Amino acid sequence: MSKIETKLIHSGREYNETKAVITPIYQTSTYLADPNPEEYIKSASTANYPYFYHRHGNPSNSQVSATLAALEQTEDAMVLATGMAAISTAVIAAVKSGDHIVAQTSHYSGTSLLFESLLPKYGVEITRVEQHKTQEIIDAIRPDTSLIYLETPSNPNLAITDLQRVAQVAKEKKITTMVDNTFASPINQKPKCLGIDIILHSASKYLGGHSDLTAGVICGPESFINKAWKTRLILGGNLAPMDSFLLARGLKTLKLRMEQINATTLSIAKFLENQEQIEDTLYPGLPSHPQHELASQQMTGFGGVVSIILKSKTSKDALIKAQQFLSSLKIFTNAASIGGVESLVVHPASMFGSHQENATSSVPAGLVRLSIGLEHPDDLMEDLKNALETIK
């Protein structure tokens, strides 16, 4: 199987030991022990073994993991209960007390909390730098740096990180690289091909694609997945059987969904760029994006997230206009998350401000994030146009 569409449908079939075309939901917490003592010991100690105990592994999880490894072109993969379970498990597995991490200034809010509130308690130091300034990332490396953590495009500013250059320097210095590939999706960006070691996803987004599950994914070398599995075993973040089933279902249409989302979002970004109420339209697919050239080099499509900054005189004015805009939309749903079949909209300064102390310093008060779904682009543009007219 060489083509993505085929891999998404048929990878991991060896874990379906039934005659069902679709892998069943293995709604069980434990499995009958093998009478052979050696096999029983093996089942209890092998990473992601599917027939011992659910916290260790599950047949549905094994099939989804095989599909994701094929998709990201890594040796192995592991699914977890949420995107943050994947991020925290992978980072904790990669570092120890006394280590140093180089990270970006702009990350998903939960990731920022991990770096700011949790890891420093256990003796891990983090230096955060501007992700679009590659030399700053390189200059931040110290002798005790063990991990470089990246996210591109970033949330919600859609800044791009030069993965190939950072990976090259990291390999020379024997530093592990890790990237959150959620906003791009594996369809639009292949970090492994650019030299990145570990790839993470919130599978609740594009991979699942229907806003009906939470899941996370770690993709990487088999040796690291085994290490991360031991960490997950302690933290208990295994993916539930029903969510695993829904994720497997969603993955089958990932390529088709992303192709339409890419096309629709580019059309909408071009439309938004010409609206007088908008100060700036942030989308890597636009030639006006300051890193469009880099994005075009490392991405084959630009995803379904576009952010706009509404024109305003003050921060207070920006907040009022953002809320007027959101409340006037009829098709876009004001809800957190991205990557579903339905289009969503959020005001990050309001959403993040309640639990991320420094969020509004890097997120303009007038910034609104749009996640484009599978509705017809004409209907979405009409909805946006009508809402923008209410804030003149």
Side-chain angles (χ1 to χ4, degrees):
M1 294 185 290
S2 61
K3 302 299 182 182
I4 290 176
E5 294 90 336
T6 308
K7 290 179 179 179
L8 288 170
I9 294 171
H10 295 288
S11 294
R13 287 185 299 178
E14 64 272 19
Y15 294 103
N16 181 3
E17 296 186 349
T18 73
K19 292 184 179 181
V21 174
I22 301 299
T23 303
I25 301 171
Y26 287 82
Q27 193 67 52
T28 180
S29 61
T30 192
Y31 299 86
L32 185 65
D34 193 296
N36 184 328
E38 292 183 1
E39 286 298 316
Y40 183 68
I41 293 171
K42 179 182 177 181
S43 69
S45 57
T46 300
N48 289 316
Y49 190 84
Y51 301 109
F52 176 70
Y53 184 71
H54 183 73
R55 187 160 51 89
H56 289 233
N58 176 285
S60 298
N61 292 5
S62 294
Q63 181 171 9
V64 173
S65 297
T67 302
L68 291 162
L71 188 58
E72 284 289 15
Q73 300 177 13
T74 56
E75 289 181 355
D76 204 354
M78 182 175 71
V79 290
L80 298 94
T82 65
M84 275 312 302
I87 292 168
S88 56
T89 298
V91 171
I92 290 170
V95 300
K96 63 183 186 304
S97 181
D99 281 356
H100 173 249
I101 298 173
V102 176
Q104 301 176 178
T105 54
S106 181
H107 280 303
Y108 173 65
S109 58
T111 306
S112 292
L113 284 171
L114 174 68
F115 291 150
E116 294 169 3
S117 302
L118 183 62
L119 292 177
K121 292 181 180 180
Y122 299 97
V124 177
E125 189 174 348
I126 296 91
T127 299
R128 301 182 70 171
V129 297
E130 293 292 340
Q131 57 267 29
H132 63 280
K133 298 179 180 179
T134 307
Q135 193 57 49
E136 284 192 10
I137 297 175
I138 296 170
D139 292 344
I141 294 173
R142 308 187 323 205
D144 56 349
T145 302
S146 62
L147 176 66
I148 299 177
Y149 187 95
L150 310 168
E151 179 184 326
T152 181
S154 66
N155 179 19
N157 295 320
L158 299 170
I160 306 298
T161 309
D162 190 338
L163 295 179
Q164 189 167 33
R165 177 63 180 138
V166 173
Q168 180 185 14
V169 173
K171 287 189 185 302
E172 291 171 359
K173 298 180 178 292
K174 296 180 172 28
I175 298 170
T176 299
T177 51
M178 193 176 290
V179 65
D180 183 339
N181 201 32
T182 301
F183 266 42
S185 89
I187 303 302
N188 293 328
Q189 185 167 263
K190 300 288 187 186
K192 176 68 166 58
C193 298
L194 298 170
I196 297 297
D197 300 311
I198 313 299
I199 304 156
L200 309 174
H201 286 276
S202 171
S204 320
K205 313 302 192 290
Y206 292 115
L207 301 185
H210 294 78
S211 302
D212 56 5
L213 67 93
T214 60
V217 183
I218 305 172
C219 301
E222 184 179 3
S223 58
F224 182 80
I225 297 300
N226 289 345
K227 188 176 181 180
W229 174 78
K230 293 178 181 177
T231 303
R232 190 196 71 187
L233 203 61
I234 297 168
L235 299 177
N238 199 55
L239 183 61
M242 186 63 189
D243 282 349
S244 183
F245 174 83
L246 292 171
L247 178 55
R249 181 208 60 182
L251 282 170
K252 295 179 191 299
T253 60
L254 176 63
K255 181 70 158 52
L256 296 171
R257 288 186 285 105
M258 290 310 304
E259 287 176 346
Q260 182 171 331
I261 286 171
N262 287 340
T264 300
T265 308
L266 182 57
S267 296
I268 288 175
K270 290 177 179 178
F271 161 78
L272 292 169
E273 204 172 25
N274 295 314
Q275 302 307 303
E276 62 181 25
Q277 302 93 336
I278 296 174
E279 180 181 325
D280 199 5
T281 301
L282 308 175
Y283 186 64
L286 293 174
S288 59
H289 190 285
Q291 296 172 284
H292 174 68
E293 184 177 351
L294 174 60
S296 299
Q297 291 172 0
Q298 68 184 29
M299 302 177 74
T300 56
F302 303 103
V305 179
V306 55
S307 292
I308 57 174
I309 300 176
L310 299 172
K311 288 182 180 178
S312 60
K313 297 177 182 178
T314 64
S315 293
K316 183 178 180 180
D317 182 41
L319 290 169
I320 293 171
K321 287 185 175 180
Q323 292 305 321
Q324 287 176 337
F325 174 66
L326 265 65
S327 62
S328 300
L329 290 164
K330 304 300 183 186
I331 297 176
F332 283 83
T333 301
N334 187 354
S337 197
I338 66 166
V341 297
E342 63 289 308
S343 292
L344 303 176
V345 59
V346 293
H347 182 228
S350 297
M351 183 173 69
F352 297 157
S354 63
H355 66 282
Q356 185 179 342
E357 184 178 349
N358 299 319
T360 53
S361 63
S362 60
V363 179
L367 187 146
V368 175
R369 190 189 75 189
L370 305 168
S371 172
I372 307 304
L374 297 182
E375 301 94 341
H376 195 284
D378 290 350
D379 292 330
L380 294 175
M381 284 186 273
E382 183 69 18
D383 193 30
L384 292 166
K385 180 182 178 182
N386 292 337
L388 286 169
E389 288 177 351
T390 67
I391 60 171
K392 283 185 177 180

